[in-house]
Amino acid sequence: MPAGVFADDVDVRIGIGIGVPPPQVVIPAPPVAVLIPGTHVYFAPDVGVQLFFYSGYWFSLHDGYWFWANDYTGPWYYLPPARIPVAFLHLPPHY
C-alpha cells in the first residue's frame, strides 16, 4: 500500500444482484430454535419464515435461495449454492 493509506481507510463494496430480495425477518424477540434430530442444525418453527441456526450463523431459505446472517434480524446476504453448508443438504424433507 502507498504510504499514508491504511486498511481502515479503504471501503470496497461489491454487490451482485440475483433478482430475489433477501427474506424480511421481523421477530421481536430471539426465536426459539429446536435441534433437528440427527443433525447439528437448529430450526425456528414459529417465525413465519424458514429460519435455521448452524455453526454460529443464521440461515434462511427464501424463494429457493439461501441467505445467511450473523443475527436472526439480518442483514441477510445471498449464499451461493457452492457455499451452502453440507449439513443443509441432508436435512429431513419436512424441514
Side-chain angles (χ1 to χ4, degrees):
M1 283 188 171
V5 177
F6 300 98
D8 291 341
D9 295 336
V10 178
D11 184 15
V12 176
R13 295 174 192 245
I14 298 173
I16 299 174
I18 59 166
V20 177
Q24 296 298 314
V25 179
V26 179
I27 304 169
V32 173
V34 295
L35 183 63
I36 298 173
T39 74
H40 297 283
V41 179
Y42 290 81
F43 176 66
D46 299 318
V47 296
V49 295
Q50 289 182 299
L51 186 63
F52 302 88
F53 184 78
Y54 174 73
S55 193
Y57 298 97
W58 291 92
F59 296 86
S60 183
L61 180 59
H62 180 68
D63 288 339
Y65 297 94
W66 283 97
F67 295 84
W68 72 274
N70 287 315
D71 188 80
Y72 66 91
T73 60
W76 292 93
Y77 302 99
Y78 172 69
L79 188 62
R83 303 280 316 264
I84 298 169
V86 173
F88 288 103
L89 304 177
H90 302 289
L91 292 179
H94 60 280
Y95 289 98

